Amino acid sequence: MLSRRNFLKTGLITGAAGLPLASQLNALDAPPMVAAQEHGGEVTLVPLPPRMAPVDASAEPWQKRVRRVGQTNMTEHDPAVMNVEEWADYWHSAKAEIVFISVTGILAYYPSKVPFHRHGKYLNGRDFFGECANAAKKRGMRVVARMSPDLNWGDALAAHPEWAMRHADGSVQHSGEEPRLFKTCMFTSYMDDYVPAIMREINSLYDVDCFYTNGWPPLGSLPDCHCAVCSKLPASSTPAYWRVFTDRVLDLWHRYDAIAKEKKQDSFFFANSGGNVRGGPNLDRLGKTLEWFQADNQGRTQFEPAIWGCSLQGRVCNAVLDGKFAANVTAAYASSFPGWRNASKNPAEIRMWLDQTLASGMVPYLHFVGAEKGFDEDRRWQPVGRDWLDWSAKHDAHLTTRRSIANIGVVLGQGTQLLYPGPATVRGRNYMRETTDGIYDALLRGRFAWDYVHEDRLDAERLKKYRALLLPNIAILSDAQCEQLRAYVRGGGSLMASFETSLYDENLKPRDEFALGDVFGIRKGGDVVGTNGNPYYARIEHPPSPHPLLAGFGDTNWLPGAENRVPLRPVDDPLLTVVPGFVRYPPELAYPPVSQTDEPAVVLRENGAGRTAWFAGDLERSYWITGNGDLLRLMHNTIRWLTRDERPVHVEGPGLVEMFCWETGPGYAVHLLNYNTPDAQHGWVQSIEPLGAQHVSLKLPAGVRVRSVELLRAGQSVPHEVEGGVLRFTVPALDEYEVAAITVGE
Ligand SMILES: [Zn+2]
């Protein structure tokens, strides 16, 4: 049988990179394609699950059929200058099926009679909202009534001082940029009375399809207010406050939703969501409540620089929505800090964010701030968005996802992301972001197929699709969650965990011992140890036979450890032991006073079909901040050992590529995102370097036949082969993005 290495050596794929695409495709007809190999080990393809029953689209809520969303975010000056017909024509030409139109709450875009709903100063009695809504409806587009409940003006404050968010000294919290605006408190009657009054007024005047609040609830961090109501609540940023906050958000959400439905039953309310792994309200509860997840994740900033920022959001949505609708906002404007909100963003960055939206299972949503600026001053974003959206409209059937194909679950510890302060040695909010980026990067480089699994959704039914669960420093876990993980391992599942995982309960109360200690066979040996000079090393203890975790580690007796660790008590036959950290400078003293200990750096266990691996150190974050290849290899080796290298889909080829595989209505879709650019982890993409051939293989469910494999971006079919139920084909070249759409039949 031809090995992959020999296959590549024939030059039929890689050697043909310079040929026109058609020539490469012809060349592919010749050689047999074989199961991929990497790092010297076999990958075992496991069959995809039986296909889901067909969906009756007419029985689904209307928003599930929305595939493109458009928004020109209206400014106060727009009513004076915006050409309503031109605005509506653009979004119609871009195939948007629904547009956001501002009602607002800060400035009324219609002749509102609600007290303190100040008319924009260029409105002059005009019904701007109504004209826009009519223009959209005339073209067959639905309308979202967009409100902003987060800020209001001095006259409202004078009449209702209780509406304001307050500092600890009792003073009013104002907008940082416009001090005439005060911040409204979500626990006050502003939200109980003022927002419903606007909603009811809109329902009485217009035919809108749903309501949305911008700017509320807050994302990524929790409010800190000391008004009369809030001063009776638990302190902000505590688990108790997070629960009260979620209760209030969902209570208002239900009430607003009921108001939306007073006019028509298929209307609904939704609000700002997103914040990826941090979120705002508890995402498990939010997912059960909402009908539209509005991922307000508009673009990369220096605070969230990783290139996969939008895909990360999509993976979070998939963990909590159970197939409900999610749209992710792509800022076509410069969404950075500092940001130029009325100028276009790099075209490649706009496209990449839209690509990630689709690849990760969300619906694309294009956004520009200001009609005056977006249709007059800077029009460059328009063809970028329209061309891309127009392309997507040709392939809606293949681009609509039904179920992710993955066999690894990464536990999304939202509580840890929001509330855990970091270990005692490295306090800070970046700590868990860096941990998240570390495991994310490792999974992409290993081409693993993975999902997030929310901490509150660890039930056996949901976990059964996963061969392994990864817990990258999930510090906060309740006893009940630990029991679910215990049951998962008893049932044959595998686990990887690191560092402070399970050392805090759901109230952020530290535990004396790891709650998952019995599952992993570990006991705590001391408090967190950080780094002052050389971090600790992991000594290879030469097991009787080479262990798969050590594959590729020749010619060394030790490996890097991590920046921080929680010391463990000794175990029998440790594979790696800790060599404690020591002086880094001066070099005269850069040697370990103690070169061998019995403190384990990793603890491995086999439990029947399942395996567990515990790392004493924070290797995911240490990998992210150093790029250390040994830490990457150790994570890859561990994940491969835990899963016995089983994969539901395998894509092999050069480059940093993010892969998603979905079951779709027509068959399957393999999405490949090319991240090969100097701008991958900083700033915006100027351009993406094309990559060579990517070899795709997956094992079909019994009885499923493949009719065709089509590359939706390249716009052509590729040959495929099915042997022993395994489908194989090659994407000859990968530009920015490709979707291999597999059509199946019986
Ligand atoms: Zn308050």
Side-chain angles (χ1 to χ4, degrees):
M1 197 154 123
L2 195 61
S3 75
R4 174 187 164 261
R5 197 165 299 280
N6 290 335
F7 179 37
L8 293 181
K9 269 187 189 164
T10 63
L12 288 168
I13 295 174
T14 51
L19 296 178
L21 186 60
S23 305
Q24 295 184 43
L25 295 177
N26 292 336
L28 286 177
D29 287 338
M33 287 182 254
V34 297
Q37 295 180 12
E38 58 175 17
H39 307 309
E42 289 285 341
V43 169
T44 303
L45 285 169
V46 291
L48 304 185
R51 287 181 59 75
M52 297 170 76
V55 174
D56 176 6
S58 66
E60 294 199 300
W62 62 261
Q63 68 273 19
K64 284 278 286 179
R65 295 192 290 280
V66 169
R67 298 296 309 162
R68 278 156 296 280
V69 185
Q71 184 189 1
T72 303
N73 208 333
M74 289 145 182
T75 69
E76 183 177 30
H77 195 242
D78 280 341
V81 293
M82 178 174 131
N83 181 329
V84 172
E85 296 300 311
E86 184 189 11
W87 162 83
D89 280 342
Y90 174 76
W91 290 114
H92 186 52
S93 74
K95 310 282 197 302
E97 290 137 332
I98 190 164
V99 287
F100 279 60
I101 304 176
S102 288
V103 167
T104 162
I106 299 172
L107 288 173
Y109 287 80
Y110 64 104
S112 176
K113 296 188 174 66
V114 173
F116 308 110
H117 199 191
R118 176 181 295 207
H119 294 192
K121 64 183 163 194
Y122 301 101
L123 192 64
N124 293 324
R126 181 180 168 194
D127 185 4
F128 186 67
F129 177 86
E131 289 174 36
C132 293
N134 285 339
K137 294 272 174 174
K138 200 169 72 186
R139 289 163 177 80
M141 296 186 287
R142 290 179 180 265
V143 169
V144 182
R146 174 186 178 274
M147 301 176 289
S148 276
D150 53 329
L151 298 166
N152 212 317
W153 304 90
D155 54 334
L157 179 63
H160 289 283
E162 75 279 10
W163 282 355
M165 289 183 76
R166 303 272 168 177
H167 295 290
D169 65 4
S171 60
V172 172
Q173 296 188 23
H174 287 99
S175 159
E177 295 186 52
E178 174 47 87
R180 291 178 299 159
L181 288 164
F182 71 95
K183 295 183 183 176
T184 58
C185 175
M186 61 174 264
F187 285 93
T188 68
S189 59
Y190 187 81
M191 302 297 276
D192 297 312
D193 301 336
Y194 179 75
V195 175
I198 294 174
M199 291 182 71
R200 290 202 166 96
E201 185 174 59
I202 292 296
N203 258 346
S204 74
L205 296 172
Y206 309 103
D207 176 24
V208 302
D209 294 281
C210 49
F211 288 84
Y212 162 73
T213 51
N214 172 65
W216 178 83
L219 303 173
S221 61
L222 298 169
D224 187 12
C225 177
H226 301 265
C227 76
V229 180
C230 292
S231 51
K232 297 190 180 73
L233 302 178
S236 180
S237 298
T238 60
Y241 181 84
W242 187 35
R243 286 190 279 273
V244 170
F245 167 80
T246 299
D247 289 345
R248 173 70 174 170
V249 169
L250 298 186
D251 175 47
L252 289 170
W253 199 297
H254 284 296
R255 284 153 58 190
Y256 295 171
D257 192 64
I259 295 169
K261 288 177 168 54
E262 286 171 359
K263 178 86 174 268
K264 50 185 183 183
Q265 262 308 305
D266 67 352
S267 182
F268 55 86
F269 166 80
F270 64 108
N272 226 34
S273 306
N276 62 63
V277 289
R278 279 193 181 134
N282 177 289
L283 287 167
D284 165 53
R285 295 177 60 194
L286 183 65
K288 289 168 179 154
T289 300
L290 56 72
E291 300 190 51
W292 174 314
F293 191 104
Q294 170 89 349
D296 190 22
N297 192 325
Q298 301 205 26
R300 287 197 286 164
T301 67
Q302 76 268 36
F303 309 114
E304 300 263 356
I307 193 166
W308 46 71
C310 181
S311 292
L312 169 64
Q313 179 66 62
R315 292 181 187 274
V316 170
C317 285
N318 295 323
V320 296
L321 292 186
D322 289 328
K324 287 181 177 175
F325 180 88
N328 190 85
V329 187
T330 291
Y333 63 84
S335 58
S336 53
F337 294 102
W340 294 266
R341 288 197 93 182
N342 306 109
S344 297
K345 183 184 274 179
N346 301 5
E349 183 83 12
I350 296 175
R351 284 194 299 271
M352 186 195 69
W353 216 249
L354 292 167
D355 296 341
Q356 290 185 20
T357 304
L358 261 190
S360 64
M362 301 184 290
V363 167
Y365 172 149
L366 192 66
H367 178 210
F368 198 87
V369 173
E372 180 180 12
K373 302 309 173 195
F375 286 88
D376 181 10
E377 299 273 19
D378 186 345
R379 302 158 306 283
R380 291 171 295 172
W381 62 279
Q382 291 186 13
V384 178
R386 180 164 46 210
D387 291 351
W388 192 97
L389 293 167
D390 186 61
W391 162 79
S392 77
K394 297 189 177 88
H395 304 291
D396 282 339
H398 283 296
L399 297 173
T400 305
T401 61
R402 293 179 61 187
R403 175 166 61 179
S404 100
I405 303 295
N407 71 334
I408 294 171
V410 178
V411 175
L412 196 184
Q414 194 190 353
T416 301
Q417 296 282 355
L418 258 178
L419 306 169
Y420 163 75
T425 46
V426 191
R427 295 292 193 205
R429 281 182 62 79
N430 272 346
Y431 187 87
M432 284 309 296
R433 181 184 62 71
E434 291 161 348
T435 302
T436 301
D437 283 334
I439 192 70
Y440 205 108
D441 183 279
L443 287 161
L444 262 53
R445 288 179 194 269
R447 303 281 179 102
F448 295 105
W450 64 282
D451 296 331
Y452 270 123
V453 185
H454 193 273
E455 61 198 326
D456 291 332
R457 296 189 174 201
L458 298 175
D459 51 284
E461 181 60 26
R462 204 174 284 273
L463 297 189
K464 71 181 183 189
K465 78 180 268 196
Y466 303 112
R467 192 71 184 84
L469 291 181
L470 314 183
L471 295 115
N473 191 39
I474 308 301
I476 299 175
L477 285 170
S478 70
D479 287 348
Q481 289 160 349
C482 291
E483 184 51 38
Q484 289 175 310
L485 294 167
R486 202 171 279 118
Y488 173 71
V489 172
R490 274 200 303 270
S494 294
L495 288 184
M496 180 173 105
S498 63
F499 194 42
E500 293 206 283
T501 295
S502 79
L503 266 184
Y504 294 84
D505 73 7
E506 69 275 26
N507 293 313
L508 202 54
K509 185 166 173 270
R511 293 186 173 108
D512 295 332
E513 188 53 88
F514 300 103
L516 289 173
D518 60 320
V519 178
F520 288 91
I522 55 166
R523 285 184 303 160
K524 194 172 163 216
D527 293 332
V528 174
V529 178
T531 287
N532 180 18
N534 250 304
Y536 77 92
Y537 289 67
R539 177 167 298 288
I540 297 171
E541 291 291 347
H542 297 296
S545 59
H547 195 282
L549 253 70
L550 301 178
F553 290 125
D555 289 336
T556 181
N557 299 331
W558 66 9
L559 303 172
E563 184 183 356
N564 304 282
R565 75 183 193 280
V566 177
L568 303 176
R569 294 204 202 167
V571 297
D572 294 337
D573 301 322
L575 184 69
L576 299 171
T577 54
V578 168
V579 178
F582 47 92
V583 173
R584 186 167 175 273
Y585 185 87
E588 289 87 336
L589 301 181
Y591 67 98
V594 179
S595 66
Q596 189 147 25
T597 71
D598 59 0
E599 181 192 328
V602 64
V603 176
L604 308 175
R605 262 192 166 187
E606 303 222 21
N607 308 277
R611 293 169 167 171
T612 63
W614 181 279
F615 286 93
D618 52 352
L619 82 168
E620 299 95 344
R621 175 178 173 276
S622 295
Y623 163 63
W624 179 250
I625 61 180
T626 64
N628 192 300
D630 287 346
L631 300 181
L632 178 65
R633 182 182 291 275
L634 194 56
M635 283 190 277
H636 283 178
N637 286 350
T638 305
I639 296 167
R640 298 179 70 201
W641 177 72
L642 291 172
T643 57
R644 297 172 195 262
D645 243 339
E646 293 175 2
R647 300 191 186 213
V649 54
H650 190 59
V651 180
E652 186 157 4
L656 178 59
V657 171
E658 180 157 23
M659 181 266 292
F660 287 90
C661 183
W662 297 96
E663 185 173 329
T664 63
Y668 301 94
V670 180
H671 295 245
L672 302 175
L673 295 151
N674 179 355
Y675 291 156
N676 284 264
T677 164
D679 315 309
Q681 310 303 3
H682 170 74
W684 291 337
V685 169
Q686 309 292 338
S687 63
I688 299 266
E689 299 302 315
L691 286 173
Q694 306 288 322
H695 307 282
V696 182
S697 50
L698 51 84
K699 192 164 188 175
L700 300 160
V704 171
R705 288 180 44 237
V706 173
R707 293 175 185 272
S708 64
V709 179
E710 188 188 356
L711 304 183
L712 302 184
R713 281 308 259 171
Q716 58 190 113
S717 298
V718 288
H720 67 273
E721 172 186 285
V722 179
E723 188 182 348
V726 174
L727 166 68
R728 295 189 183 90
F729 62 89
T730 294
V731 178
L734 180 57
D735 198 351
E736 293 178 0
Y737 173 46
E738 191 53 89
V739 186
I742 301 161
T743 301
V744 303
E746 294 308 311

